[in-house]
Amino acid sequence: MEWLVYSVGKDARAATRRDWFHTVALAVRDRVVDRWMDTTRSYYHEDAKRVYYLSLEFLIGRLLTNSLSNLGIMDECRQALDRLGLSMEDVVDAEPDAALGNGGLGRLAACFLDSMASQGLPGYGYGIRYEFGLFEQRFENGWQVEYPEQWLQFGNPWEFARPEVLYPVQFYGRVEEFRDSVGERAYRWVDADRVLAMAYDTPVVGYGGETINTLRLWSARATRDFNFGHFNDGAYMKAVEQKILSENLSRVLYPNDATETGKELRLKQEYFFTSASLQDILRRYLQHHTSFDNLPNKAAIQLNDTHPAIGIAELMRLLVDQHALRWDNAWEITRATFAYTNHTLLPEALEAWPVRMIERVLPRHMQIIYEINAKFLNRTKAKAAGDNARLSRLSLIDERGERRVRMGNLAFLGSHHVNGVSALHTDLMKQTVFHDFHEEFPDRINNKTNGITPRRWLKQANPALSELITTRIGQGWISDLSQISALSEKAEDVVFREEFRRAKRKNKKRLAAYIARQTGEEVLVDSIFDVQVKRMHEYKRQLLNVLHTIALYNEMRDNPTVSWVPVTKIFAGKAAPSYHMAKLIIKLINDVAKVVNHDPSVHDNLKVVLLPNYNVTAAEIIIPAADLSEQISTAGMEASGTGNMKLALNGALTIGTLDGANVEIREHVGADNIFIFGMTADEVNDLRASGGFNPREVIASNPSLKRALDMISTGAFSPDDRNRYHPIVQALTDGGDHFLVTADFADYCRAQDAAMQLYRDQEEWTRKAILNTANMGWFSSDRTVNEYAEEIWDVHPVHPNHDGEGFR
Ligand code: 73E
């Protein structure tokens, strides 16, 4: 109560649910601060090697339940709220969802933070404090419309502003050459614009509350010095305007997942947070050290994709230009400090900034990149005499068309380890984008299959199942998910199966209520909850699922006397605002839903829902309720996937292709407990190499596919605009069906049919569902982070001393 009055400034009678959320969050925060300071102090005293996870995205979601649960004070808090006549759920629901990320890449960063803190690893997250997170998605007339996500509107009780932690970051200007004190050629970056990066810290509470790490996010602040040039011209307003514009750097997250836009502001965001983070890392290091030689023994910097890869040139600049290190020494230190994770092979997502843009925005970095490239190519030339094609592929500069800097090549060259995010993806990296680099540096690429945190994705999101598991095997699984394998034998226990089903049913009821609230649609709790939740993207093939939906709808209408297994098709996901095809797919799903859900001839045996505004909070409700998990990307295109892991851990059976981590999920859960279909990555590769296929022939030979496509193209779902779906039909036919939707359709339907038949046998279905949960232990992000710690970072757990001053 005292927090409500003194920190929120309200009387209990006037307090809203939001006020209560702030009150509870502040009370929780107070419990964290001492342990947070103890943790930081321990790292400092032990001069521990730290790992710095640089990421343009951290998709953390809500933090109240997470903090309460990790601190072990959930019940205590619930009881305190009870006494005040408040419901925990209402308070929890008042927290905005921190959506500082697009999808898997950002959520992975958030899972890693949880895993590092839960295992006592000295890990820091560095990113941007976007004022606007990922847009809010609404459907208007079935079309996606984007609204700004103002998550900070009412303040953020979790963060601590650090106005004293402030670093200058420069842009534009030019490079001056001069002679240093010993007469050597040296460079300085002059006449540049300056922006300040100000730190905001959020405590990252590890499970058990022993270790509290830090997520440091940078916010752009204008400098206080005015541009006197403009001033003297009398252009006072122009000067002020420029200062205001500089704060746009941290205004908004780019809403593109695995697609590159190439906008200058994006490059500036990347450099802004990377430069501030490196300055902060060096400042921390220099508190203990005088020479930089030990930097790689005290700091591991992980690049989450190439978004912070400019950091390689930036560290070189800081070491060479500001700290006067010799080039070769600086390069050795840089390479021994950085490691790089690649998350996608999609060509459109491989960052390649125009040379002219980098020259203008970061002139000194362009010089440094040229220098790194020249030294590397010279060395390589000596070995690969005459193979110019190979040299041009290895170059940091793509000379075809407008000259561009290949950020992936820069990241590879400047790192001691480079990793992919699933076994298949890592193999494909070696065969495709990094083929030549892999030949050149055969020990550099390694695999680190992604994982998910069992705290958020099982313990918090699925209390029904968590409690059941704990009654049977104890609570060790929460911090050591490998222990969940002890459930395997329970799959044979009829009583346990009944209880497992009961937990699932409870989650399905919760989701059904959510669906009714969000869409007005009533769904059957006893139908198969067939779930595809992820970004809308052609390679993820929501269209394949829609085509199956239409085919199933037709079969049900044709055979009304058959006793069908009822199915609820549940979709959710955002489309990048400029991705027209993905937005058209959203409209199609909504149009199909309208027709199917209102057709009495299917007797409620089929429902289709597309839930709006998919985010971490929605995922926490949807995932525990799923029966069937759709992981149906074109083989070779999904680097890993992590939703696949969340769903399987929560006892959904996967229907999927042999893509990304699905391959490893099959190995762990067993081929009998997963529905695999479709072409393999090798088959896709061979098909493409041989010039593709003719989708028209495939369609002509499959009546149910033909009928579904004809319905789409003749306007059966869009009577108000019969040509609306022409672009989709075109892409699947004359367009050559790049994502092989038609090629995989028949086998997908076979797998769907097998799933429906199995569902009739509830005992057998549950047995397999339990085996999924029991065999997913390896996919904990604790395992992933430990592999990084041991094989890449060389960092070790530190156990904070909580006996010191101020400990409560
Ligand atoms: O397969 C997922 C992977 O599970 C992949 O598509 C995703 O990363 C996940 C985590 O490893 C991903 N996101 C991006 N690239 N790959 C990306 C690229 C540019 C901007 C934003 C996100």
Side-chain angles (χ1 to χ4, degrees), residues 57 104-105 108 256-258 307 343-344 421 450 539 638-641:
E57 307 194 1
L105 172 144
L108 185 75
N256 303 308
D257 184 273
H307 315 150
H343 291 269
T344 178
V421 290
N450 284 167
Y539 84 80
E638 188 72 272
S640 164

Side-chain angles (χ1 to χ4, degrees), residues 51-55 58 113 116 123-127 214-217:
V51 52
Y52 298 108
Y53 200 80
L54 266 58
S55 178
F58 286 93
L113 290 182
M116 290 191 289
Y124 292 70
Y126 275 115
T214 302
L215 170 60
R216 176 160 281 186
L217 300 178

Side-chain angles (χ1 to χ4, degrees), residues 281 310 464 559 568 709:
I281 292 165
I310 192 68
N559 304 285
T568 304
L709 270 173

Side-chain angles (χ1 to χ4, degrees), residues 52-58 100 109 113 124-130 197-201 214-220 250 269-270 272-274 276-277 308:
Y52 298 108
Y53 200 80
L54 266 58
S55 178
L56 213 38
E57 307 194 1
F58 286 93
L100 307 187
L113 290 182
Y124 292 70
Y126 275 115
I128 293 181
R129 179 182 178 270
Y130 300 107
M198 177 181 146
Y200 282 81
D201 288 346
T214 302
L215 170 60
R216 176 160 281 186
L217 300 178
W218 302 104
S219 180
S250 55
Q269 285 186 334
E270 295 184 352
F272 166 74
F273 99 96
T274 305
S277 307

